[in-house]
Structures are given as C-alpha cells and as structure tokens.
Amino acid sequence: KTYSREKCAALFARFVRNGTWQCPPRVMRRALALRQADSFRNNTLLRYMPQSELDGWNSRTDTRNVNLRAEEIANRKIRLEKETELVGEMHRAGVKILAGTDLGNPYIYPGFSLHDELALLVQAGLSPMEALQTATINPAKFLGKENELGTIEIGKLADLILLDANPLTDISNTKKINGVVLNGRYLSRESLNKMLFDVEAKAKIE
C-alpha cells in the first residue's frame, strides 16, 4: 500500500551508481509465503533431509502459523507477487543480481533450490541467459574471481554441469543433468544417482 515507483526508481539508480549488488532469494520468500501449501509439506525432496532438520522446520513453521488468519495468508501472497515485480524492476534498472536461496530456512534444499531460484528469476523478468549468469559469472565478478571462475575457458577451474537440454530455451532444463565436472573430476549420471541414494539412506537414520 505504501509502494512508490518513484522512490524505488531513485533507490535502484543509487544501487547502480554505487555498484551495489542484490541477492533476492525468491525461493526463500516463496516458501515463507506459501509454506502451508501441500506442495511444500509433501515435496518429494523431503526424503533427502534428516529428521532432525525436518523437526526444526516444523517447529518454526508451526509456531509462525499458529492462528494465522486467512487475510495474512492472502497478504503474504500479495507481497510475494510485489517482491517478484520489484526484482524485475531492479534488473531493468541495471542493478546487478546474484542468485541465492538462503539455505537453512524451511523448505530450502541444498542444490535443488538453486534450480528453482533460476526459474523464479526468469519469472521476474530476467532472460534464461541472464538468470544463468546470476549463478555463474556474476558471483565470480562479485568475488573478484572472474579470472578463475564463472565461464568455460582454458585455464579456469573445471566446474561444469552437462545438460541433456538447452536451458536458454527453457530454464527448467538446468534440472536435466547428464553429468557434472567438479574441479576437473567427472561425475556421471549414475554416480550422481548413487550420491542421492546415499543421502536419502543416511537421512533416514539421522
């Protein structure tokens, strides 16, 4: 209700002048707004999380959702939509964006949530290429490591994801992982599946 396009434009212009980066974790804000939905409480990724972590999530969400009114739930969704709109406005104003998930919050999954974050950035108005850059070359530039990281070039660290489909045509294709090169070591799809199997098995006993 207090939103001012003029004030936002002035603030974003200051960000650009000052070289201020923004890391707006859309997945975290989405989880905060929609965590009561069945899609969050019944997510298949829950099997990779240890029970101790799930108990912590449940205690935090249950406490926050006690006597939560329908009006507040609706307002959270409205704020989520407005925040998404503001991310798009920042991007169009030239503010530099970094991908982030705010790992540690309920319903944020290591690795997996980054793919969702990229999709949400595209939803906010970034192109698939621009969204990919928020997780590759942009962090390298922010950290002053662009000579070592961020792009595929001779002499840079070999950290690569090999995909079965083009993410530039559909950002969700980042989830179609065929293999990974981690610091020069190749991990096949079979190796990755074995890692996930082991994580799931360990989560069941912790």
Side-chain angles (χ1 to χ4, degrees), residues 132-201:
L132 288 172
Q133 289 173 335
T134 68
T136 53
I137 189 59
N138 287 8
K141 289 180 178 178
F142 178 77
L143 296 170
K145 298 286 186 179
E146 62 266 39
N147 292 329
E148 305 170 35
L149 306 168
T151 57
I152 302 173
E153 297 180 62
I154 294 175
K156 291 192 175 183
L157 292 179
D159 289 336
L160 313 171
I161 297 177
L162 309 177
L163 303 175
D164 285 325
N166 189 353
L168 299 183
T169 58
D170 185 344
I171 194 63
S172 67
N173 286 335
T174 62
K175 297 181 179 181
K176 298 179 180 179
I177 300 173
N178 184 283
V180 170
V181 179
L182 178 61
N183 198 22
R185 176 192 173 200
Y186 176 67
L187 301 173
S188 66
R189 182 67 262 178
E190 291 75 17
S191 297
L192 298 173
N193 289 340
K194 175 64 165 54
M195 291 171 64
L196 290 174
F197 178 83
D198 291 343
V199 168
E200 181 178 359

Side-chain angles (χ1 to χ4, degrees), residues 51-66:
Q51 189 59 49
S52 58
E53 184 74 10
L54 298 180
D55 290 342
W57 288 5
N58 291 332
S59 65
R60 293 168 66 183
T61 55
D62 289 345
T63 300
R64 292 176 180 178
N65 290 331
V66 169

Side-chain angles (χ1 to χ4, degrees), residues 9 12 38 43-44 77 113 119 122 132-133 139 146 158-159 170 193:
F12 299 158
D38 290 340
N43 195 317
T44 58
K77 295 179 180 179
S113 289
V122 169
L132 288 172
Q133 289 173 335
E146 62 266 39
D159 289 336
D170 185 344
N193 289 340

Side-chain angles (χ1 to χ4, degrees), residues 33-46:
L34 307 177
R35 63 179 53 167
Q36 288 185 315
D38 290 340
S39 59
F40 282 87
R41 295 187 175 271
N42 300 321
N43 195 317
T44 58
L45 296 177
L46 289 168

Side-chain angles (χ1 to χ4, degrees), residues 51-86:
Q51 189 59 49
S52 58
E53 184 74 10
L54 298 180
D55 290 342
W57 288 5
N58 291 332
S59 65
R60 293 168 66 183
T61 55
D62 289 345
T63 300
R64 292 176 180 178
N65 290 331
V66 169
N67 299 323
L68 195 62
R69 296 177 300 169
E71 181 182 2
E72 173 58 21
I73 295 174
N75 284 339
R76 288 185 178 186
K77 295 179 180 179
I78 292 172
R79 290 197 296 271
L80 178 66
E81 293 176 0
K82 175 56 69 173
E83 290 164 359
T84 299
E85 178 184 322
L86 291 176

